Amino acid sequence: MKLQTILDPVEASPPETQTQPLRRSGGWIPFALPRIGLHLHSDGEQLLLANRTAISWVIYHKFHQLGVIDADETLLLSLPKYGSLSVRPHGTNDNAEFLVLPLHHTIQQVVIYRHTMGANIEIYDMKGMAI
């Protein structure tokens, strides 16, 4: 096999470029810019938690323990209103059932209460209310 030799190599020249003026701020932009929100706690981030039962409950927000609410007590919590708020009876073993409530920014008050279903079934429940 014989290799061909190039007698006149063609020199490649770089393409001509032109400089553009710097883009100035202001004016119209053809696409929307993302907005940045600052997460600052305000009165909208406060949640009123009322225990209307005869037992104490351990409070959790997004699986983080916040504390204990005693019987017939009302607490004012300052927390971001997303995720879930859950409670379980205080002083029970780790296998106790939880009451879970998904949070939303419109919820202002959460009440833990006890009510009767049917003839003899009493259960605990938790509800969120917008004020």
Side-chain angles (χ1 to χ4, degrees):
M1 179 179 196
K2 207 180 220 187
L3 295 175
Q4 292 181 349
T5 58
I6 299 174
L7 298 176
D8 286 333
V10 178
E11 291 186 24
S13 61
E16 292 185 23
T17 58
Q18 295 178 352
T19 57
Q20 298 289 329
L22 292 176
R23 187 175 192 176
R24 291 183 289 164
S25 63
W28 292 96
I29 299 174
F31 52 88
L33 294 175
R35 295 182 180 256
I36 298 173
L38 301 176
H39 183 68
L40 301 174
H41 289 285
S42 64
D43 290 340
E45 298 293 324
Q46 292 183 346
L47 182 70
L48 189 66
L49 179 62
N51 182 6
R52 303 289 178 240
T53 64
I55 63 173
S56 299
W57 297 85
V58 181
I59 309 164
Y60 297 91
H61 178 249
K62 294 175 50 185
F63 306 106
H64 297 284
Q65 184 176 350
L66 298 180
V68 177
I69 184 168
D70 292 324
D72 294 320
E73 183 181 15
T74 302
L75 293 176
L76 183 63
L77 303 173
S78 178
L79 52 86
K81 293 181 188 172
Y82 64 92
S84 63
L85 183 75
S86 56
V87 295
R88 72 173 175 87
H90 183 260
T92 59
N93 59 4
D94 291 336
N95 295 333
E97 294 186 12
F98 285 78
L99 301 176
V100 180
L101 179 72
L103 290 178
H104 192 261
H105 70 279
T106 59
I107 294 178
Q108 300 293 324
Q109 182 178 3
V110 175
V111 178
I112 305 168
Y113 63 98
R114 181 178 180 175
H115 67 93
T116 305
M117 290 183 62
N120 58 357
I121 300 174
E122 292 189 358
I123 63 169
Y124 293 103
D125 202 1
M126 183 168 58
K127 65 180 176 180
M129 298 181 289
I131 296 177

